[in-house]
Amino acid sequence: MPLEIIGAGLPRTGTTSLKAALEELGYPTYHMVENIQHNDSEKWLTILKDNHGRDFKDWDYIFAQKGRRVYAASVDAPGCTFYKNLMEFYPDTKVILTVRDNPQVWVDSSRETVYKASQSGGGFLGVVSGFVFRNIFRSKMIEMINKVFFTHPDACNGALEKADFDGGKAAREFYTNWNDEVVKYVPSDKLLLFNVKEGWGPLCKFLGKPIPDKPFPRVNDRAEFQKHIKGMQNVGVGFLAIVGGVVGVVCGLVIFAL
């Protein structure tokens, strides 16, 4: 099954809710969650070596690997950064551009979630959790996220860092320019501009699917994401306590030996 749907919307535009909706409609969907589950960050870093991924040709390497689930849709990062490449490799795909109510809503959500997580969550606990997460558990994932979302020439390229210092102007402009470029690049008959607040109607019409007899999924909002950040901090504190205990035991043994 080739990829049928490409999500060109940026992270924090309802991509997790869209993933849940597409799964409900029968489309196995690749999201940052799948990157974590499959430990695919090394694969994405390999892709990025080919002119930032622009020259990479075999996208089945990610979406149709032997021995695991074959994906019919891709949403969120890292895939959204490469929507043009994916359209070239899978020419019959439809594209969904998820959007927020306005650019500032996206900036505020991103700064309080994705950006904060990338900066270790802030404060001493954030520094500890960030160290543990980057250097012990997910160093390749953090490297991949920074390259895809923050420094890739086709992605944010520092816009969110600047947002903390200029009131969000650079990030608002980036969000607007990103969406404008998607609309300009993708043929109108293959593109759906979609705010998840609109629910099932536009999505099902676009995909030719009946509307499910259940509410449209609402998942991974700002509060839920911040709980994940707090969980990272708790892991960091636990690790610090373990290290402290080990150091205490070693020091005690040394003193006892003396």
Side-chain angles (χ1 to χ4, degrees), residues 2-206:
L3 205 69
E4 299 177 53
I5 299 166
I6 300 168
L10 294 166
R12 306 312 303 165
T13 58
T15 55
T16 310
S17 295
L18 176 60
K19 166 184 163 58
L22 291 174
E23 295 270 3
E24 179 66 31
L25 295 174
Y27 298 96
T29 302
Y30 192 99
H31 180 281
M32 180 61 77
V33 171
E34 279 63 38
N35 172 72
I36 296 170
Q37 290 176 346
H38 295 312
N39 199 23
D40 275 351
S41 295
E42 188 70 58
K43 292 183 174 65
W44 286 100
L45 289 171
T46 298
I47 290 170
L48 286 164
K49 292 177 182 178
D50 285 347
N51 188 20
H52 302 287
R54 293 165 174 162
D55 296 335
F56 188 75
K57 299 301 181 184
D58 186 11
W59 287 96
D60 282 349
Y61 176 66
I62 293 291
F63 300 109
Q65 292 187 44
K66 291 183 179 179
R68 78 181 201 191
R69 193 180 195 190
V70 176
Y71 292 95
S74 170
V75 301
D76 197 69
C80 64
T81 301
F82 306 100
Y83 72 92
K84 294 179 181 179
N85 310 70
L86 294 176
M87 288 179 66
E88 181 178 347
F89 191 77
Y90 302 107
D92 296 326
T93 50
K94 294 184 175 182
V95 179
I96 300 173
L97 175 61
T98 41
V99 297
R100 300 300 294 263
D101 293 343
N102 59 65
Q104 190 61 48
V105 171
W106 178 78
V107 171
D108 293 341
S109 177
S110 298
R111 189 162 47 197
E112 291 302 312
T113 53
V114 177
Y115 178 69
K116 182 174 287 188
S118 76
Q119 299 300 302
S120 307
F124 174 71
L125 294 181
V127 172
V128 173
S129 63
F131 174 83
V132 173
F133 199 70
R134 287 193 302 272
N135 297 291
I136 298 176
F137 294 120
R138 296 290 183 182
S139 59
K140 290 298 183 182
M141 190 184 80
I142 295 298
E143 180 185 356
M144 183 274 292
I145 289 173
N146 284 332
K147 287 185 176 180
V148 167
F149 190 49
F150 290 102
T151 63
H152 192 286
D154 294 334
C156 284
N157 202 21
L160 289 184
E161 284 92 339
K162 296 174 185 177
D164 272 346
F165 302 103
D166 69 0
K169 182 175 182 293
R172 288 195 303 271
E173 289 178 351
F174 165 76
Y175 171 85
T176 300
N177 292 339
W178 176 275
N179 290 346
D180 288 348
E181 176 62 19
V182 173
V183 172
K184 178 182 177 181
Y185 185 84
V186 181
S188 59
D189 62 332
K190 290 190 171 186
L191 177 65
L192 173 67
L193 270 69
F194 183 57
N195 189 321
V196 294
K197 290 182 178 179
E198 298 175 87
W200 289 114
L203 180 63
C204 291
K205 181 179 180 181
F206 180 65

